[in-house]
């Protein structure tokens, strides 16, 4: 057995209670499952880095050494290093109840100002032309409403408001709610899709399932809400799973990786040479709105950005050259 495998076994044997405490503290604060997996993963890697010593026997110097290692040896992105720092600060402050001194000697990962990849309207048409069914509808929402992929997949039936032509994003990035545009051209397709999802849910109910995961304390306040149509995912997965705690047979929403694989193939078929991802459609949404003369504050609100400085990046990729300048060669 190699060192990694033996170390994994030793760690699980020596500190499962610690990781369980981390998960419990995360649940108490209503953090997402993604955050739980991410934090536990960073804490586990930190323990391995420190030769399987318990974090209570470590301190600020060990955290500083690990974060510097990530920046220097692993060459991680600044956001990745910050993610690791957040996980370790959560471990010490919320779980171990130990206050670490300010880590001012950490070597910070170098932040690169990257201009986002944006597709032209013609490239958007070609890309959507390579998709159909549910992937087409999801991609059209990413571009037409400016969603992040996870925001689109986390939509529930109650979040779609056809009467007001808007969609409510619940607990988006930063745990913030916002309203987004519901493109008129998608209403017929979205209604038809919801009808199919509703029939699937009714079939699940007839066969003793039909449950769905509920946010926070809703399940305790309304025990039967998990089987109501309004709480069901707009884009349900094709398979069921059994929840370990409740024993309920549920459907999860469509997994991000399924959409990402389909999208990548569509980009290749469309002959698009840019490194486009699902998130590129959100970038394109913002850029095209600014090209049409929409106010940057409006775009900021539609995207759910805390600061207008984040939205300002799209002014660098408008379809009229850097900073909106015209080349003098074009005037000859």
């Amino acid at each position: 057995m190699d060192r990694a495998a033996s170390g994994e076994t030793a760690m699980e044997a020596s500190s499962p209670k610690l990781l369980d405490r981390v998960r419990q503290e995360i649940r108490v604060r209503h953090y997402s499952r993604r955050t739980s997996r991410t934090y536990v993963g960073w804490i586990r890697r930190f323990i391995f880095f420190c030769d399987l010593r318990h974090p209570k026997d470590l301190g600020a110097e060990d955290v500083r050494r690990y974060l510097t290692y990530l920046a220097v040896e692993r060459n991680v992105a600044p956001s990745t290093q910050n993610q690791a720092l957040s996980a370790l600060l959560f471990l010490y402050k919320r779980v171990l109840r130990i206050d670490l001194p300010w880590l001012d000697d950490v070597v910070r990962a170098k932040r690169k100002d990257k201009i986002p990849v944006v597709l032209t309207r013609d490239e958007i048409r070609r890309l959507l032309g390579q998709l159909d069914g549910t992937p087409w509808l999801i991609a059209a929402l990413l571009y037409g409403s400016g969603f992040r992929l996870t925001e689109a997949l986390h939509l529930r039936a109650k979040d779609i408001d056809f009467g007001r032509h808007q969609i409510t994003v619940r607990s988006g990035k930063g745990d913030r709610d916002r309203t987004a545009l519901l493109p008129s051209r998608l209403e017929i397709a979205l209604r038809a899709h919801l009808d199919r999802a509703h029939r699937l849910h009714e079939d699940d109910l007839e066969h003793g399932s039909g449950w769905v995961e509920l946010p926070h304390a809703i399940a305790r306040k309304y025990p039967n809400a998990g089987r109501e149509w309004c709480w069901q995912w707009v884009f349900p997965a094709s398979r069921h799973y059994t929840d370990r705690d409740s024993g309920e047979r549920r459907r999860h929403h469509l997994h991000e990786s399924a959409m990402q694989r389909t999208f990548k193939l569509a980009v290749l078929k469309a002959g698009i040479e840019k490194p486009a991802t699902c998130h590129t459609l959100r970038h394109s949404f913002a850029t095209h709105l600014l090209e049409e003369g929409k106010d940057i504050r409006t775009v900021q609100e539609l995207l759910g950005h805390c600061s207008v400085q984040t939205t300002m990046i799209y002014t660098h990729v408008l379809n009229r050259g850097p900073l909106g300048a015209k080349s003098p060669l074009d005037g000859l």
Side-chain angles (χ1 to χ4, degrees):
M1 180 182 295
D2 57 39
R3 184 181 183 279
S6 61
E8 179 80 22
T9 303
M11 190 190 68
E12 292 294 342
S14 63
S15 62
K17 292 184 178 179
L18 174 66
L19 297 182
D20 286 343
R21 286 167 60 194
V22 172
R23 296 186 183 98
Q24 182 178 5
E25 290 293 335
I26 289 174
R27 284 198 299 269
V28 166
R29 288 163 177 78
H30 304 307
Y31 292 175
S32 68
R33 286 190 174 186
R34 181 189 295 267
T35 300
S36 178
R37 290 194 300 267
T38 299
Y39 276 22
V40 168
W42 280 118
I43 292 168
R44 179 180 284 116
R45 287 188 284 272
F46 173 64
I47 294 173
F48 272 109
F49 178 79
C50 296
D51 298 322
L52 302 180
R53 295 165 61 196
H54 197 285
K56 67 180 175 58
D57 299 325
L58 305 172
E61 181 57 36
D62 299 287
V63 174
R64 185 181 296 110
R65 188 164 53 90
Y66 180 60
L67 295 175
T68 299
Y69 158 78
L70 291 177
V72 176
E73 302 294 333
R74 296 290 304 276
N75 195 29
V76 301
S79 58
T80 302
Q81 189 189 42
N82 287 335
Q83 193 181 73
L85 174 58
S86 297
L88 296 178
L89 289 178
F90 183 89
L91 167 67
Y92 278 95
K93 186 174 182 179
R94 304 300 181 187
V95 180
L96 299 177
R97 302 293 193 269
I98 298 174
D99 287 329
L100 295 178
W102 183 249
L103 305 174
D104 52 2
D105 295 333
V106 173
V107 175
R108 309 300 293 185
K110 294 182 179 179
R111 182 175 297 277
K112 300 178 182 179
D113 293 329
K114 295 183 179 180
I115 294 179
V117 176
V118 173
L119 301 180
T120 65
R121 287 171 174 79
D122 178 63
E123 288 170 333
I124 294 288
R125 281 191 289 268
R126 285 157 45 196
L127 174 63
L128 293 178
Q130 297 298 325
L131 296 167
D132 55 19
T134 298
W136 176 87
L137 184 55
I138 294 174
L141 280 172
L142 298 183
Y143 174 64
S145 303
F147 290 141
R148 300 174 179 91
L149 177 57
T150 53
E151 291 173 344
L153 298 182
H154 288 175
L155 290 176
R156 298 179 189 261
K158 66 182 182 63
D159 298 329
I160 312 296
D161 190 338
F162 290 102
R164 303 184 67 180
H165 307 285
Q166 67 182 31
I167 302 174
T168 302
V169 177
R170 308 285 183 182
S171 300
K173 190 173 182 180
D175 200 29
R176 293 184 299 273
D177 293 355
R178 75 176 192 276
T179 55
L181 301 173
L182 172 54
S184 298
R185 293 185 59 183
L186 292 184
E187 289 192 10
I188 294 177
L190 189 53
R191 285 182 186 274
H193 173 83
L194 287 173
D195 286 342
R196 291 191 295 271
H198 198 174
R199 290 195 296 271
L200 178 66
H201 175 59
E202 290 178 339
D203 184 66
D204 286 344
L205 291 175
E206 291 179 2
H207 290 84
S209 54
W211 293 93
V212 70
E213 179 184 0
L214 295 175
H216 307 332
I218 296 294
R220 291 199 305 272
K221 294 172 65 176
Y222 308 105
N224 294 319
R227 303 188 79 192
E228 295 177 3
W229 161 242
C230 64
W231 287 101
Q232 302 303 309
W233 304 114
V234 171
F235 300 107
S238 58
R239 298 181 180 179
H240 298 95
Y241 73 97
T242 301
D243 181 67
R244 289 181 297 179
D245 296 329
S246 64
E248 299 168 350
R249 280 183 53 78
R250 300 175 174 176
R251 279 190 191 272
H252 198 47
H253 58 69
L254 185 68
H255 198 272
E256 302 98 285
S257 61
M259 181 61 194
Q260 289 164 343
R261 287 193 299 268
T262 303
F263 187 89
K264 183 176 182 180
L265 183 60
V267 170
L268 294 175
K269 289 182 177 179
I272 297 173
E273 298 179 352
K274 298 174 182 176
T277 66
C278 291
H279 204 69
T280 301
L281 296 178
R282 175 174 161 89
H283 294 323
S284 304
F285 164 84
T287 304
H288 293 171
L289 283 180
L290 290 172
E291 286 179 350
E292 294 171 359
K294 296 298 185 292
D295 180 77
I296 195 167
R297 292 285 185 181
T298 300
V299 177
Q300 174 195 355
E301 186 173 344
L302 289 172
L303 291 174
H305 287 162
C306 284
S307 170
V308 73
Q309 295 299 321
T310 306
T311 317
M312 286 290 289
I313 188 63
Y314 298 111
T315 63
H316 298 292
V317 288
L318 294 179
N319 190 24
R320 49 177 181 261
L323 305 179
K326 183 178 180 181
S327 171
L329 181 62
D330 295 333
L332 295 180

